[in-house]
Amino acid sequence: MTENKKQMLLGLGFTGAYGANAKAWKSEGVNSNTYPDIKSDIRYAQLAEKGKFQFLFVGDFPGAVPDDNSHVPSMTLEPIITSTAILQQTKHIGVASTVHTQWNFPYTVARQFKGIDLMSGGRIAWNAVTGSSPKVAEHFGVNLMDSKSRYENHYEFVEAVQHFWATWGEEALKADKDTGVFAEYRQVKPVYLSGKHIKANGALPIPPSPQGQPLIFHSGGSPNSIAFAGRYANAMIGEVWTIEQGIATRNALRQAAIDAGREPDEIKFIAGLMPVVADSKREAIDRHASFMDEKLIQQRLHYIGMVLGIRLTLEDLDHPLAPELLDRVEIDSYSDPRIENVLKVAHEGWTLRDIIYQSVIDFHPATLGDAKETADHLTAWFEAGAADGFWLLPDAYETDLERFVEEVVPILQERGVFHEDYEGETLRENLGVPYQYGVDKRLT
């Protein structure tokens, strides 16, 4: 392996349930009687750490109650609680935990994350998102802001948190028994914040962690998201379906960082992937298909017909799409980007049912097959500059995460595109982003 060769980052998309698929609770090997089970959450995190993953990405869906019994709620335990438990039982992997800015207070968020950061030795990140669900806003007794106001509040909120993180001077703590000086309190400087949306005063009496302060993650993909992430984030979690779309999003993110006065390499673009690793493609397709019901298949059948401009019925499910129909499909800049993946799989001659089973219409791209197929996808995207890393969403942690760690990771390491071991003790070191304490003074 070439020394200092750029290597990809890997994170685990963590739902606090049985896997990224909502029906994973029905899969073989899952003990559904233990829901929710923090011991299983910790075990999955330790498995990701065994695979040298740099981080876990913990989402948050407050009060999300399913409409039927086909699946279980995600993230039933509060993300801060879950992250704290995981960090206490791991040694190297970092955790990016989601907290929304519309229904929280800057001082509370600053206190929670800086406390966890110090406790974990510098392995926490805050996934800072605005929150956009009217239903969730009602849970907290908050009126949902319009988009412009949400982001105005978001900018002020994040800067307020970073100001609080830096109120305790980096050299303030002395704890010198001989002189009787515990701290140089002149270095503890309160902040007085008064913005359009945020007003708060005071100091946070917590010293810096080895990485200074928590990292900032952001998940999204809108122009507002990219502008925000370019200014404040160390990593952005995105949804892209083609290499070309990944390159465009990553370039836009890096340009946003430059526009804000930062170095573009300081922010990492993390694309999603749903890997299903099996002994064969047929086995992977069948296992993934077990999580799909007829209602979902019909929905995706209708959608594929719509985006391709082809009239499809249930009678078409068990037949390949005719080449002459595919050749007439026109792709333009306004089409769903997933259409390219639909066409690629359709041209391979699969039946329409198997095309749907391969998740060509889903939240992220999917790879179904042996370990090499997933490794090839990750390598191709990474070497093309479509992503700095990936967050993985396995169907079921019990089977799919373990197979990824045992089978895909060694291939990536052998190719020299994924590290053999952790670079340092902190999440900043392992993500390759610089030390920071307080608001970045370079921001324009």
Side-chain angles (χ1 to χ4, degrees):
M1 182 173 67
T2 304
E3 192 173 354
N4 297 325
K5 179 181 178 181
K6 184 181 177 183
Q7 296 175 317
M8 71 176 67
L9 308 170
L10 290 180
L12 174 64
F14 197 72
T15 65
Y18 305 102
N21 195 293
K23 297 179 177 64
W25 71 281
K26 296 181 177 181
S27 64
E28 186 177 352
V30 167
N31 182 4
S32 58
N33 295 323
T34 60
Y35 176 80
D37 184 6
I38 192 63
K39 292 181 181 178
S40 291
D41 296 342
I42 290 168
R43 182 162 52 83
Y44 300 142
Q46 290 171 336
L47 180 56
E49 186 171 69
K50 178 184 177 183
K52 309 302 181 182
F53 285 39
Q54 282 89 352
F55 66 93
L56 267 65
F57 180 78
V58 180
D60 189 23
F61 313 96
V65 181
D67 296 327
D68 56 47
N69 276 302
S70 63
H71 60 283
V72 299
S74 296
M75 274 328 298
T76 50
L77 298 181
E78 198 275 337
I80 290 288
I81 295 172
T82 300
S83 301
T84 303
I86 287 172
L87 286 164
Q88 284 289 287
Q89 298 297 321
T90 53
K91 296 179 180 179
H92 304 286
I93 197 168
V95 178
S97 190
T98 300
V99 171
H100 302 86
T101 53
Q102 272 198 98
W103 31 84
N104 282 287
F105 296 99
Y107 191 84
T108 302
V109 173
R111 189 183 190 193
Q112 289 174 328
F113 276 93
K114 196 175 185 190
I116 298 172
D117 198 39
L118 194 64
M119 179 189 69
S120 65
R123 291 189 289 130
I124 191 69
W126 170 28
N127 178 40
V129 289
T130 67
S132 58
S133 168
K135 189 172 183 179
V136 174
E138 289 178 6
H139 294 335
F140 294 92
V142 173
N143 293 323
L144 193 69
M145 299 177 184
D146 60 72
S147 180
K148 180 175 182 292
S149 298
R150 280 207 308 274
Y151 271 91
E152 285 178 349
N153 174 75
H154 198 49
Y155 277 61
E156 288 186 16
F157 194 111
V158 170
E159 287 205 7
V161 168
Q162 292 186 323
H163 278 301
F164 278 126
W165 281 342
T167 52
W168 183 282
E170 292 174 271
E171 305 297 328
L173 182 64
K174 302 300 180 184
D176 190 328
K177 293 182 179 180
D178 293 334
T179 62
V181 176
F182 181 75
E184 289 286 354
Y185 288 106
R186 289 173 298 179
Q187 295 185 40
V188 181
K189 299 178 180 179
V191 292
Y192 303 91
L193 307 171
S194 181
K196 181 177 178 180
H197 299 275
I198 301 295
K199 292 178 173 58
N201 302 328
L204 188 63
I206 303 177
S209 80
Q211 67 175 1
Q213 65 190 30
L215 280 75
I216 301 289
F217 272 52
H218 183 65
S219 49
S222 69
N224 280 339
S225 283
I226 290 172
F228 169 83
R231 184 173 178 84
Y232 298 109
N234 304 108
M236 190 179 93
I237 302 290
E239 293 182 1
V240 288
W241 291 271
T242 66
I243 284 180
E244 293 74 20
Q245 190 187 15
I247 292 171
T249 302
R250 180 172 178 265
N251 287 345
L253 184 63
R254 290 168 64 83
Q255 186 58 52
I258 294 170
D259 293 343
R262 301 171 65 198
E263 293 295 325
D265 287 339
E266 294 178 16
I267 183 164
K268 312 300 181 183
F269 176 60
I270 312 295
L273 178 68
M274 302 188 303
V276 182
V277 180
D279 293 336
S280 68
K281 195 170 190 71
R282 183 72 260 169
E283 180 189 327
I285 291 172
D286 290 343
R287 193 163 83 229
H288 193 52
S290 69
F291 294 112
M292 294 188 185
D293 55 31
E294 287 302 314
K295 181 181 178 182
L296 180 63
I297 291 169
Q298 290 179 28
Q299 288 173 345
R300 293 188 175 176
L301 169 72
H302 173 74
Y303 189 79
I304 288 174
M306 183 179 67
V307 297
L308 294 182
I310 301 172
R311 184 178 179 275
L312 298 173
T313 68
L314 293 175
E315 286 71 31
D316 297 312
L317 274 173
D318 295 309
H319 303 281
L321 289 169
E324 58 269 21
L325 289 177
L326 298 175
D327 292 340
R328 290 204 299 265
V329 173
E330 295 183 3
I331 301 176
D332 59 53
S333 59
Y334 300 100
S335 296
D336 185 329
R338 294 174 294 185
I339 190 173
E340 295 183 34
N341 294 329
V342 173
L343 291 172
K344 176 179 179 294
V345 175
H347 275 299
E348 293 172 359
W350 297 94
T351 67
L352 185 53
R353 186 183 296 275
D354 280 340
I355 292 170
I356 293 170
Y357 285 162
Q358 292 183 60
S359 278
V360 288
I361 299 293
D362 219 318
F363 298 109
H364 300 279
T367 52
L368 296 93
D370 62 14
K372 183 178 179 297
E373 180 157 343
T374 293
D376 287 347
H377 174 100
L378 296 171
T379 303
W381 278 57
F382 178 69
E383 292 185 340
D388 297 291
F390 305 87
W391 66 304
L392 307 174
L393 298 104
D395 276 347
Y397 299 130
E398 290 288 348
T399 53
D400 296 293
L401 175 59
E402 184 169 7
R403 292 203 68 161
F404 185 95
V405 168
E406 298 294 339
E407 299 176 38
V408 180
V409 166
I411 297 174
L412 298 174
Q413 290 173 329
E414 184 178 345
R415 293 177 179 178
V417 294
F418 186 60
H419 66 181
E420 297 280 348
D421 205 353
Y422 291 99
E423 285 71 24
E425 300 295 326
T426 70
L427 183 55
R428 285 186 186 275
E429 290 173 298
N430 292 326
L431 257 61
V433 298
Y435 177 93
Q436 184 175 337
Y437 198 61
V439 176
D440 190 335
K441 296 178 176 59
R442 299 170 299 172
L443 296 182
T444 56

